[in-house]
Amino acid sequence: MKKRYLAGAAIAAAAALALAGCAGTAGGGSSSSTKTLTLAEAQKATSADDFGGMDGLVAAANAEGHLNVITLPPSWANYGQIIQGFEKKYPKIKINSANPDGSSADEVAAAKAQKGQSTAPDVFDIGTAVMNQNLDLFAPYKVQSWNDIPADYKDADGLWYYDYTGLMSVGYDTKKFPNGVKKIDDLLGSDFKNSVAIKGDPTQANEAASAVYMAALQSGGSADDIQPGIDFFQKLKQSGNFLSTLPTQATVASGETPVVIQWSFNNVAWGPAAGSAGNPNWKTVVLPGAGLGSYYNQTINADAPNPAAARLWEEYIYTPAVQNLYLAAGAYPAQLAAMEKAKTVDAATLSKVGAAPKDFVQLTADQATKAASLLSAKWAAAVG
Amino acid sequence: MTALASNHGAGATPRRRGARPPRRPGTGWIGLIPFSVYAILFLGIPAVLAIASGFFTSAGAFTISNFSAFGDPVILKDLVGSLGLSAASAILGAVIGALVCYAMLGMNPDGWLRTIVDSASSVLAQFGGVMLAFAFIATVGNQGLIIVIAKQLFGDSALSSPIYTVPGLTLVYLYFEIPLMVLTFMPALEALKPAWGEAVATLGGSRWTYWRQVGFPILAPAFFGCMILLFANAFSSFATAAALISQGGIWPLDIQRALTSETVVGHENEAGVIALGMIVVMVVLMSAYGVLQRRAARWGS
């Protein structure tokens, strides 16, 4: 971790030098039909119209030439392809992808620590709990397709907007477990010894906490009462089935973590979809009954060093092409309903991934706070 | 923190020169500047910033409420985990390392075996972090070579590797603790003069008498000093543990959790408090190390 930090600093320093090198040319790219905004004006732009329309926004973003994204792993919700697609569509803008394996809290920390520097993140893909604590970091912006995002999926002023959700799923190696996983209690069986992993410490990682919430829903608990989820993992630990290894695509491919409870889009991405880097026998199941989802949010840094590129990124994210890329990874995009209506959704992909769940549980901010404090009191003792 | 530790370790047996030349105000201190600047930039300032953050809320107001972290049963349990892991790896590392040193004493100092052990120790003492974790995952991890062979040999498919638990980390840490012991303890052992053994023999003492009355008492300060160094080394290790254990259990991982948690938000500044706790433990240990080193140095000339 320390090493990664150093490497990050080195990359950041290199990026800063590179940026300093082009600073002289950055201001000159104005065209007749568009408006040229100052940095401060661009940081306050709330729609593409402030740049004189999409052409103006593209021109301004091209002039900036860079976009800093953070904590976007290439195998997470298809971000590898999404980033490549952006660079292909806007070849004059180079994406700097920092700390791909970091957490939402790392995003906020980077924004605060690098405020005013050219390396600060421009856009965030951020979990709701951390976002709600830091609303003053973000700039309101409404994409062109704003109306295609359902009203309860976005802040009315455009401070944040849902991008995608996965469903908590169980991924497992069919070669090792030919009988499969049909209910959560199956995982307590003796054939699952040393097999079941989650994505880290639930008192630290949202995805791991969501695994506990899902177990709660499957074991008679609710969004208001996640204790049954903690009890489930205690039983899992006592039966010797809980694995405290942090699963990655590599541990799934090598068989070190034969069962992983995580977002469906990650289980899908680590399976046959990953080709030779994935596990060909990896199967993803969303257990029947109450599902658990959690939308991530897109937000723009109020102090974005590349404010136009940041806004162009959001415009790009909320195009059907990119929303379909989320979907292909098993992540349900925020505009899915509108896309189904407008027939812009990739039908083949949708039938492969399965229709969007009509009702799944998403913890409210209050429920999440309550669940987190229960986790920090009880989790370590349950699996310790 | 490791920088501090190994810096002390370098002078395991300072040799005293007979009479020092009289002190003169000179320009010798200039030579100290690069190291001082380095230590201040990369050790001093970060340490001060880390500790200071413990005294503020995330909004920037002064507070001592972060110290309530020390009343958190999880933090206390993890302190016990940290101390236990460090003590176990220090004691085992020191004993095994000392035995290796003793064995090496009988070798030709310029022989190939001795040279190999010496250079391997220098390399392996610095072999930590993710690389070390990977080496263990590949050999004794759940899908590692040895465990897979053992599974086939004993037909027990439920066989699991211990390296993913806090007690199991002891095994992993020994991989750099033993070489560190060899590096730091060997000079003390070499400083034992053959003449002392000959003197004991002349007076009719046995080999056991020599070790009991002369060898052990002289080596004890160096031995325990090195053990403290090993303890400190294990106590401050982070990356290896982070790569192997995902559910916490030691203080360095608690600091990470406080800083980066997505679920239990708003506890960033508790990391500063835990860091302060770690520094207190290290200062106590390093003071003890200093005292023991002074005792050890008495016999060095």
Side-chain angles (χ1 to χ4, degrees):
Chain A
M1 201 60 75
K2 198 192 280 174
K3 295 237 165 71
R4 184 189 296 158
Y5 218 74
L6 280 177
I11 292 167
L17 284 176
L19 277 180
C22 357
T25 60
S30 67
S31 75
S32 52
S33 69
T34 60
K35 297 178 197 172
T36 309
L37 305 185
T38 65
L39 180 73
E41 285 168 344
Q43 284 175 339
K44 292 201 172 62
T46 55
S47 78
D49 296 343
D50 291 354
F51 294 89
M54 275 304 283
D55 291 344
L57 178 60
V58 173
N62 279 341
E64 287 169 357
H66 291 266
L67 172 69
N68 301 335
V69 300
I70 186 165
T71 66
L72 302 182
S75 72
W76 176 289
N78 249 344
Y79 266 119
Q81 286 189 42
I82 292 175
I83 289 174
Q84 274 176 17
F86 184 86
E87 288 189 320
K88 210 168 156 193
K89 191 168 178 186
Y90 305 107
K92 288 181 182 156
I93 303 170
K94 192 188 166 307
I95 291 185
N96 307 311
S97 179
N99 193 7
D101 294 329
S103 72
S104 292
D106 289 331
E107 300 178 34
V108 167
K112 285 180 177 166
Q114 298 174 37
K115 186 174 173 170
Q117 296 176 29
S118 60
T119 54
D122 289 310
V123 285
F124 308 101
D125 179 358
I126 192 167
T128 303
V130 176
M131 181 187 78
N132 281 332
Q133 290 252 319
N134 296 285
L135 288 173
D136 53 338
L137 282 182
F138 312 128
Y141 183 79
K142 292 182 181 172
V143 293
Q144 300 290 85
S145 56
W146 182 249
N147 291 332
D148 289 347
I149 308 174
D152 51 348
Y153 283 21
K154 60 194 176 191
D155 173 56
D157 297 324
L159 212 48
W160 53 265
Y161 14 93
Y162 287 169
D163 42 15
Y164 58 85
T165 183
L167 291 175
M168 260 299 137
S169 67
V170 179
Y172 65 93
D173 195 322
T174 50
K175 218 168 145 195
K176 222 165 181 172
F177 307 109
N179 296 331
V181 180
K182 293 179 183 68
K183 56 183 195 298
I184 191 115
D185 282 348
D186 287 354
L187 298 175
L188 297 170
S190 58
D191 37 337
F192 285 91
K193 229 170 187 64
N194 285 312
S195 296
V196 185
I198 57 175
K199 292 287 280 294
D201 180 346
T203 60
Q204 183 173 333
N206 182 40
E207 196 175 4
S210 299
V212 180
Y213 305 157
M214 188 271 275
L217 296 179
Q218 294 281 333
S219 316
S222 71
D224 288 306
D225 173 24
I226 62 139
Q227 182 66 43
I230 299 178
D231 295 341
F232 170 80
F233 277 97
Q234 186 163 18
K235 277 186 269 175
L236 196 67
K237 171 79 186 177
Q238 282 163 356
S239 60
N241 294 3
F242 184 70
L243 200 57
S244 66
T245 312
L246 184 70
T248 62
Q249 187 166 344
T251 64
V252 162
S254 76
E256 209 185 334
T257 54
V259 179
V260 180
I261 305 177
Q262 63 175 344
W263 294 126
S264 46
F265 52 81
N266 285 330
N267 267 330
V268 168
W270 294 357
S276 59
N279 181 335
N281 305 312
W282 197 249
K283 187 166 183 209
T284 306
V285 287
V286 175
L287 295 173
L292 184 101
S294 169
Y295 273 98
Y296 281 83
N297 309 274
Q298 284 293 321
T299 61
I300 295 175
N301 187 353
D303 294 301
N306 307 298
R311 284 154 177 80
L312 184 60
W313 172 258
E314 298 303 350
E315 297 288 358
Y316 168 74
I317 292 283
Y318 292 93
T319 55
V322 177
Q323 299 274 304
N324 275 325
L325 279 177
Y326 280 142
L327 185 64
Y332 294 100
Q335 294 179 325
L336 183 57
M339 285 164 60
E340 285 183 274
K341 222 169 165 184
K343 304 258 188 288
T344 48
V345 68
D346 185 340
T349 306
L350 185 61
S351 71
K352 200 173 125 205
V353 175
K358 286 288 165 276
D359 51 339
F360 62 84
V361 178
Q362 179 169 228
L363 268 65
T364 64
D366 288 344
Q367 286 168 336
T369 311
K370 221 180 89 190
S373 63
L374 193 68
L375 277 176
S376 56
K378 298 272 185 71
W379 177 260
V383 301
Chain B
M1 227 148 288
T2 322
L4 177 75
S6 41
N7 176 37
H8 278 258
T13 50
R15 287 174 192 277
R16 278 192 193 167
R17 305 278 170 234
R20 292 189 179 185
R23 256 175 195 278
R24 277 183 283 137
T27 51
W29 56 270
I30 293 177
L32 198 60
I33 288 180
F35 175 74
S36 307
V37 169
Y38 180 78
I40 289 170
L41 277 181
F42 292 98
L43 186 67
I45 293 176
V48 168
L49 286 179
I51 294 172
S53 75
F55 289 93
F56 292 94
T57 64
S58 43
F62 182 83
T63 181
I64 53 163
S65 64
N66 292 324
F67 281 83
S68 64
F70 291 131
D72 181 343
V74 176
I75 305 279
L76 291 177
K77 180 182 80 72
D78 292 355
L79 172 63
V80 174
S82 260
L83 293 176
L85 167 65
S86 311
S89 66
I91 292 170
L92 284 171
V95 170
I96 299 172
L99 290 174
V100 171
C101 287
Y102 180 66
M104 279 167 64
L105 212 51
M107 295 175 199
N108 173 9
D110 301 317
W112 61 271
L113 186 55
R114 176 74 187 271
T115 314
I116 288 176
V117 175
D118 273 340
S119 44
S121 297
S122 322
V123 174
L124 295 179
Q126 305 302 326
F127 186 61
V130 178
M131 295 173 307
L132 176 65
F134 175 74
F136 270 81
I137 290 171
T139 45
V140 288
N142 278 334
Q143 287 294 316
L145 190 68
I146 293 176
I147 296 285
V148 168
I149 291 176
K151 274 180 188 170
Q152 286 164 356
L153 230 53
F154 303 114
D156 180 4
S157 62
L159 209 64
S160 78
S161 165
I163 61 169
Y164 306 102
T165 61
V166 172
L169 271 185
T170 310
L171 182 72
V172 183
Y173 280 14
L174 281 179
Y175 205 73
F176 58 78
E177 293 279 64
I178 295 172
L180 184 63
M181 183 68 184
V182 172
L183 276 190
T184 50
F185 189 61
M186 197 62 207
L189 209 55
E190 278 182 317
L192 286 180
K193 295 209 161 80
W196 297 339
E198 287 155 15
V200 171
T202 315
L203 293 169
S206 67
R207 198 153 174 76
W208 169 238
T209 320
Y210 165 72
W211 280 111
R212 196 163 52 91
Q213 304 282 2
V214 182
F216 282 133
I218 291 177
L219 289 176
F223 178 79
F224 290 112
C226 292
M227 197 193 278
I228 287 177
L229 188 69
L230 262 55
F231 184 99
N233 199 28
F235 191 68
S236 57
S237 286
F238 165 72
T240 313
L244 286 172
I245 296 184
S246 69
Q247 298 302 326
I250 56 172
W251 265 15
L253 297 180
D254 287 342
I255 291 181
Q256 181 199 21
R257 183 179 56 209
L259 283 174
T260 65
S261 180
E262 298 175 320
T263 45
V264 187
V265 285
H267 290 257
E268 296 86 353
N269 296 62
E270 278 182 12
V273 168
I274 305 173
L276 178 62
M278 288 190 73
I279 289 174
V280 168
V281 172
M282 294 297 270
V283 165
V284 169
L285 286 171
M286 281 312 175
S287 310
Y289 180 67
V291 170
L292 287 171
Q293 277 303 318
R294 266 199 297 283
R295 276 197 69 105
R298 222 182 269 175
W299 297 95
S301 54

